Amino acid sequence: MADFLTSSTDTLAEPTIAELIKRPLLTCAATDSLQTAARLMREHKVSCILVKEGESITGIWSEADTRKLAFDKINPATLEVGTVMSSPVISASGLTQVSGAASLMLNHNIRRLLVVDNAQRPIGLLTQSDIVRQQKIEFYLRFREVGSCISKAALNLAADYPLPEAVAQMRHARADAAIVTFPDESFGLVTERDLVHLLAEGTCCQHIGDLASKPLLCVPPDLSLLDAVEMLTKQKIRHLAVAANEQIYGLLSFSDILRNVEYAYIEQLKTALRDRDHALRTSADYLRLAHKVIDASMDGILITDKHGFIQSVNPSFSKLTGYSAEEAIGQTPRLLSSGLHEADFYRHMWQTLLEKGHWQGEIWNRRKNGEHYPQWLSITAIRDEQQQITQYAAIFSDITERKRQEEKIHQLAYLDELTGLANRRMFFDRLHLSLANAHRHKHTLAVLFLDLDLFKRINDTLGHQAGDQALKEVARRLQSTLREGESVARIGGDEFTILIPEVSNCKSLQTLAQRIISQLEKPVQLLQQEFFLTTSIGISLYPKDGNSAELLVKHADVAMYQAKSAGRNQYSFYQASSSQQNEDELKLEQALRQALRQQQLEVYYQPKFTLATGKLCGLEALLRWHDTELGSVSPVLFIPLAEKLGLIHQLGEQVLRQVCSQLRIWQDLAVPVAINISALQLTEPDFLSKLINILEQSGVSPSLLELELTESCLIPEQAEYTLSVLTQLKALGLRLSIDDFGTGYSSLSYLRRLPLDALKIDRSFIKDLPASESDSQITLAIIAMAKALGLEVIAEGIELTTQRQFLLDAGCDTGQGFLVSPALPSAEINKWLVNS
């Protein structure tokens, strides 16, 4: 008897927090810089550092404090850690039991405790992960899923989100980590520890995506907490994404696990329930302990006899169900039945319970007030020494909030439920992203609109079940036909759309359309019969057939009906009627003339930066037009129209005046601004005199202007005239450069004669660096040639750090692109100028 009591006491003994301390204290002086503190934390791989003034600990600076910083306004090398630390430091005696420490952390909303001895001298730090990893809660962790710990959606930030604003979002959301979404729809993760490492490095980071780690490690919602803890420990990380069906529910951390752990120890409950009969006969103290464990549980607990009659319930049971102990005892759990489950559900539950000794899962039950609510329920059979079932213990929690989150995610789902394809919303999201990419890189994009011919006959003759089967088969065949990067969606009924994000030529689209038609012509088995499907396909192209997602889909739909009118089972490219074309062009012409009259076109500025240092060294002026009726109009559309209508001179003059006016406002902060000059402007007889007049009126130094000429300006037939004009411009003090080099047909001997300062490599050679061998060789050759001619080399369209490093190693001087910044309004350029 005594042996039993001793072993029971050992099993249920709760460790003190002093036993869990593993690392010595890490401290720094309050006058040390924030960068010094961050480097110490990184070196020792800890999440916080204690701050001392003399021999006294006066504060703590932790990873969570990084969210309080304004990253665009601080200098970690000079900022004293004592000015940003948290104070006072919450402490606890080393003799405190783990459950008390966990409660203290939750009450103060902190993740670590300073552990002190009897003389109040610090002996170490206790973290949440120490509790989760060391506490004897394996039984609880094994029977809980990670999905039960997710109570809110994770903070999701776009990769191009500015770092200071991203940190502010993390602070506002009280999030210790955020998911980062990249343009290619991949995901990464940024944590407070990444912010600490950034402070330790002392480097500049513009966008949150530059700080994110990839790939994002995901686990399913039904993974046990025990497996999750083992994965976090093995990977030496503190966050896991919880995802299912390509949808991310949220992020799981040690904080979430600890928040959901019952500090009354489920391991103790398990032991108490298993030995309850024995304990009742042997020890009144043990009985009180069992009651204490049960009563302290935040989950509802009920215990029945072997016949299923309720013997006892805990306070949480009454709180969750509305039934008092007096009302429940003597009843069966049918008292809580919702009536929403079939008899087979309960039959399977009891069969599993009898065979395996336990059952867990999601179940709908009913409160006393009649309200139905979802539970996560675990039932364990308790056996005596002869392995006979004597009782059942059920532990349940209310998962209403989790279900609400799931429902919200489901409502925002991007997949078509029947076919598993993208739905309308996802398709349009992808199309918008592809349009932005096509606009940036000036390539063609295609939208295909498919409608199954006479599909209604299948539904009418065989029923909707057969129709659904046919649609699934169509979806499968379409997916197998497309290449990587191309996407298909079901947007309703028997209508499908396909996005081809980059098109080299129309012949490839014709081949694809014919391949789709051939695939769908093959017979399909429906109700043990062979049926034949055909499709009509409409094709629209960007930018020829529209510059918005809605317009491209609309025109592809029109083209599809043109294909149907031509006899079905074929494809058709969108062909607008001549009257419609004239009407659209006239509408755009009138809007452009009005925009020029009212000076509605706005100049944006894209920073140029020195590749070696990342410092601002110049700007490129880029024209933007947003019309109240037409929306944002691409320069790809209105620049050629302005040239066609003879308005390019007026447009160019407005750009020059806007830029010079802005340079005068910036005054001493100003850096050189490059302006694109078309071939038509350069050949204008009074171009030079107008330029001189604008410079004199604005009082701007010619050295602050750079004229970028495309290779098309260098017409051999006008070689002498062009040389004369450029020589005069150079004499005024203006910088001259060749834009989009490599896409024209300029003569090297002719280039040698021109008074040029710089040569800009076209973005088409940059976008596939350094993977493309041919582009790499061409780029190296251009840089070598430019250096031989004594020209500065500028690379445009830099989007990746690998591209930047390749160009830097190759000897390129300057770059611009989305890696550093897109084109911005003048108001947003000021901060660049101040920091340059």
Side-chain angles (χ1 to χ4, degrees):
M1 182 73 71
D3 292 341
F4 170 77
L5 290 174
T6 301
S7 63
S8 297
T9 302
D10 292 341
T11 301
L12 296 170
E14 183 177 347
T16 63
I17 58 178
E19 298 175 48
L20 301 186
I21 296 174
K22 293 184 177 180
R23 299 187 183 91
L25 291 173
L26 180 66
T27 64
C28 69
T31 55
D32 284 345
S33 71
L34 187 60
Q35 186 176 44
T36 299
R39 286 176 175 174
L40 283 170
M41 288 168 60
R42 182 180 63 177
E43 178 183 349
H44 292 273
K45 298 180 181 179
V46 296
S47 61
C48 67
I49 188 168
L50 293 167
V51 183
K52 300 178 68 174
E53 292 186 12
E55 294 302 317
S56 300
I57 294 176
T58 57
I60 185 172
W61 190 79
S62 67
E63 293 174 348
D65 291 314
T66 58
R67 290 182 276 146
K68 304 174 184 178
L69 300 175
F71 276 74
D72 56 341
K73 297 179 181 178
I74 65 164
N75 183 350
T78 58
L79 182 65
E80 292 185 359
V81 68
T83 63
V84 293
M85 68 182 182
S86 296
S87 181
V89 183
I90 307 299
S91 63
S93 167
L95 299 177
T96 304
Q97 292 185 324
V98 175
S99 59
S103 298
L104 191 60
M105 286 183 179
L106 288 176
N107 290 337
H108 287 276
N109 194 26
I110 57 178
R111 285 184 263 171
R112 52 194 63 80
L113 278 174
L114 176 63
V115 183
V116 297
D117 60 15
N118 292 335
Q120 296 300 304
R121 291 173 301 201
I123 58 176
L125 274 173
L126 178 76
T127 67
Q128 289 179 331
S129 57
D130 293 330
I131 295 177
V132 173
R133 290 193 181 106
Q134 301 299 327
Q135 195 177 359
K136 295 182 178 180
I137 54 171
E138 291 87 352
F139 179 81
Y140 176 83
L141 295 176
R142 181 178 293 110
F143 289 100
R144 269 293 181 92
E145 297 180 338
V146 296
S148 66
C149 290
I150 304 301
S151 60
K152 63 178 182 179
L155 177 62
N156 197 314
L157 301 171
D160 61 356
Y161 209 65
L163 176 67
E165 297 178 23
V167 174
Q169 286 291 325
M170 292 175 68
R171 178 170 62 251
H172 178 73
R174 297 181 180 179
D176 59 354
I179 294 172
V180 179
T181 303
F182 289 84
D184 62 358
E185 300 185 18
S186 63
F187 298 102
L189 183 70
V190 165
T191 68
E192 295 166 344
R193 179 155 294 183
D194 297 319
L195 298 177
V196 171
H197 290 180
L198 180 64
L199 293 170
E201 292 293 338
T203 56
C204 178
C205 179
Q206 296 294 328
H207 302 105
I208 194 66
D210 299 333
L211 202 60
S213 58
K214 293 176 67 178
L216 180 64
L217 188 58
C218 296
V219 298
D222 58 359
L223 184 74
S224 75
L225 284 178
L226 183 62
D227 290 336
V229 170
E230 290 177 353
M231 187 176 297
L232 288 166
T233 303
K234 183 178 180 181
Q235 297 289 337
K236 297 182 180 180
I237 57 177
R238 292 186 294 173
H239 295 86
L240 291 171
V242 182
N245 299 323
E246 300 182 3
Q247 296 299 316
I248 297 177
Y249 286 80
L251 286 174
L252 178 76
S253 67
F254 282 114
S255 298
D256 300 311
I257 297 172
L258 189 61
R259 194 176 296 114
N260 284 270
V261 166
E262 300 303 337
Y263 301 113
Y265 304 116
I266 298 302
E267 180 66 22
Q268 295 177 6
L269 174 61
K270 175 189 172 184
T271 303
L273 293 177
R274 185 179 61 236
D275 301 323
R276 183 173 182 271
D277 283 348
H278 196 181
L280 287 171
R281 293 190 299 270
T282 58
S283 173
D285 289 339
Y286 191 77
L287 176 62
R288 283 194 296 272
L289 175 61
H291 280 303
K292 181 179 178 181
V293 171
I294 294 171
D295 289 347
S297 175
M298 293 166 59
D299 282 345
I301 298 175
L302 67 89
I303 299 173
T304 75
D305 62 18
K306 63 181 179 180
H307 302 295
F309 289 97
I310 298 174
Q311 293 178 321
S312 64
V313 298
N314 71 340
S316 290
F317 170 92
S318 299
K319 183 178 179 180
L320 292 171
T321 67
Y323 289 101
S324 66
E326 292 77 12
E327 292 172 312
I329 292 174
Q331 302 286 335
T332 69
R334 282 194 292 272
L335 176 73
L336 309 175
S337 177
S338 65
L340 300 179
H341 297 285
E342 300 290 340
D344 284 345
F345 175 85
Y346 296 104
R347 213 167 10 248
H348 175 72
M349 174 195 293
W350 282 105
Q351 181 181 352
T352 303
L353 190 56
L354 292 172
E355 290 177 356
K356 298 183 178 180
H358 61 84
W359 179 92
Q360 67 171 346
E362 185 179 305
I363 187 172
W364 282 86
N365 270 339
R366 181 175 55 84
R367 307 188 207 273
K368 182 179 179 180
N369 63 8
E371 177 189 355
H372 293 155
Y373 70 104
Q375 286 182 356
W376 184 259
L377 174 64
S378 295
I379 306 175
T380 301
I382 302 173
R383 300 177 185 271
D384 60 16
E385 295 176 354
Q386 287 74 42
Q387 296 303 303
Q388 298 299 310
I389 294 176
T390 58
Q391 291 171 303
Y392 295 98
I395 306 174
F396 63 90
S397 58
D398 185 345
I399 58 172
T400 301
E401 182 59 31
R402 171 185 161 187
K403 297 295 290 184
R404 187 176 292 119
Q405 290 292 333
E406 289 177 356
E407 183 179 355
K408 182 179 179 181
I409 292 171
H410 179 72
Q411 290 172 351
L412 298 175
Y414 284 92
L415 298 180
D416 175 57
E417 185 177 2
L418 176 65
T419 63
L421 297 177
N423 62 12
R424 175 184 290 272
R425 177 170 181 170
M426 177 178 278
F427 180 81
F428 272 88
D429 282 356
R430 288 176 175 174
L431 181 51
H432 282 120
L433 287 172
S434 296
L435 278 172
N437 190 56
H439 169 70
R440 186 187 313 154
H441 297 294
K442 296 181 176 61
H443 60 239
T444 302
L445 171 153
V447 172
L448 280 66
F449 195 109
L450 287 71
D451 182 87
L452 301 180
D453 298 327
L454 304 176
F455 181 77
K456 188 173 181 293
R457 293 183 305 178
I458 294 179
N459 281 334
D460 290 345
T461 57
L462 301 182
H464 288 281
Q465 185 175 356
D468 288 349
Q469 184 182 344
L471 290 172
K472 291 178 183 178
E473 178 62 18
V474 169
R476 187 193 65 78
R477 294 184 187 184
L478 288 175
Q479 284 182 305
S480 66
T481 305
L482 299 182
R483 297 171 300 183
E484 185 177 359
E486 300 169 346
S487 57
V488 57
R490 179 184 176 226
I491 61 172
D494 60 337
E495 295 177 336
F496 298 81
T497 50
I498 295 175
L499 169 62
I500 312 298
E502 187 169 354
V503 177
S504 56
N505 55 67
C506 287
K507 185 173 179 58
S508 64
L509 286 176
Q510 293 171 338
T511 303
L512 172 62
Q514 192 56 59
R515 192 164 66 244
I516 292 172
I517 290 172
S518 299
Q519 280 290 328
L520 297 189
E521 279 179 334
K522 297 176 182 178
V524 57
Q525 289 284 336
L526 300 174
L527 301 181
Q528 299 180 342
Q529 300 180 55
E530 278 195 350
F531 282 82
F532 293 85
L533 295 171
T534 61
T535 183
S536 297
I537 305 174
I539 307 172
S540 63
L541 301 172
Y542 166 86
K544 182 177 77 71
D545 299 328
N547 62 350
S548 71
E550 292 74 15
L551 197 57
L552 285 170
V553 173
K554 175 185 175 182
H555 286 169
D557 189 14
V558 171
M560 181 272 295
Y561 279 104
Q562 292 171 345
K564 281 188 180 293
S565 299
R568 298 190 179 92
N569 200 32
Q570 56 186 292
Y571 63 87
S572 175
F573 284 87
Y574 174 72
Q575 295 293 334
S577 65
S578 57
S579 61
Q580 181 64 46
Q581 289 177 333
N582 292 336
E583 180 182 339
D584 292 345
E585 187 168 322
L586 178 61
K587 188 175 183 180
L588 185 62
E589 176 185 342
Q590 291 171 337
L592 179 59
R593 291 184 186 277
Q594 181 178 349
L596 288 172
R597 282 196 305 270
Q598 299 179 358
Q599 298 192 9
Q600 296 174 343
L601 283 81
E602 183 180 2
V603 174
Y604 276 43
Y605 299 86
Q606 185 173 40
K608 295 181 180 180
F609 59 96
T610 303
L611 290 179
T613 65
K615 290 290 187 180
L616 179 74
C617 61
L619 301 167
E620 180 180 6
L622 297 168
L623 203 53
R624 297 291 182 263
W625 177 23
H626 184 83
D627 184 81
T628 54
E629 184 178 348
L630 300 176
S632 294
V633 184
S634 170
V636 176
L637 294 176
F638 70 80
I639 295 295
L641 181 61
E643 292 180 336
K644 176 182 176 181
L645 298 174
L647 301 174
I648 194 66
H649 309 297
Q650 182 182 351
L651 184 148
E653 184 177 341
Q654 286 192 13
V655 172
L656 276 169
R657 291 190 182 278
Q658 276 196 51
V659 170
C660 288
S661 176
Q662 188 59 56
L663 284 171
R664 184 172 57 189
I665 293 172
W666 284 331
Q667 295 184 351
D668 295 338
L669 294 176
V671 296
V673 176
I675 301 174
N676 291 285
I677 300 297
S678 74
L680 292 176
Q681 284 178 272
L682 197 64
T683 57
E684 186 182 10
D686 58 349
F687 168 73
L688 193 59
S689 60
K690 282 184 178 180
L691 176 59
I692 294 172
N693 184 46
I694 292 171
L695 288 170
E696 290 176 349
Q697 289 178 359
S698 63
V700 171
S701 169
S703 63
L704 290 177
L705 277 186
E706 177 180 346
L707 301 185
E708 289 188 0
L709 306 108
T710 60
E711 287 190 76
S712 60
C713 294
L714 311 180
I715 305 172
E717 291 76 14
Q718 298 180 343
E720 295 304 318
Y721 173 80
T722 302
L723 177 61
S724 172
V725 173
L726 296 184
T727 302
Q728 295 177 70
L729 291 171
K730 186 64 179 175
L732 289 173
L734 280 80
R735 278 175 53 88
L736 301 174
S737 63
I738 295 296
D739 191 18
D740 299 336
F741 184 81
T743 60
Y745 303 94
S746 55
S747 165
L748 181 59
S749 61
Y750 183 33
L751 282 177
R752 293 176 58 193
R753 300 173 56 197
L754 300 177
L756 301 174
D757 298 289
L759 180 152
K760 180 178 284 189
I761 306 174
D762 184 70
R763 68 178 65 249
S764 62
F765 299 116
I766 305 298
K767 67 184 182 72
D768 292 327
L769 291 180
S772 172
E773 181 65 22
S774 59
D775 287 350
S776 298
Q777 293 302 321
I778 292 173
T779 302
L780 291 172
I782 293 174
I783 294 173
M785 182 201 72
K787 292 295 184 180
L789 295 175
L791 301 178
E792 176 190 358
V793 184
I794 305 169
E796 62 179 357
I798 301 175
E799 296 185 7
L800 304 172
T801 54
T802 52
Q803 295 170 345
R804 174 182 178 176
Q805 190 60 48
F806 176 89
L807 292 164
L808 182 61
D809 295 342
C812 184
D813 310 297
T814 309
Q816 64 186 92
F818 278 63
L819 176 64
V820 170
S821 176
L824 301 169
S826 57
E828 296 183 35
I829 290 295
N830 286 323
K831 62 182 180 182
W832 282 88
L833 297 174
V834 171
N835 295 327
S836 65

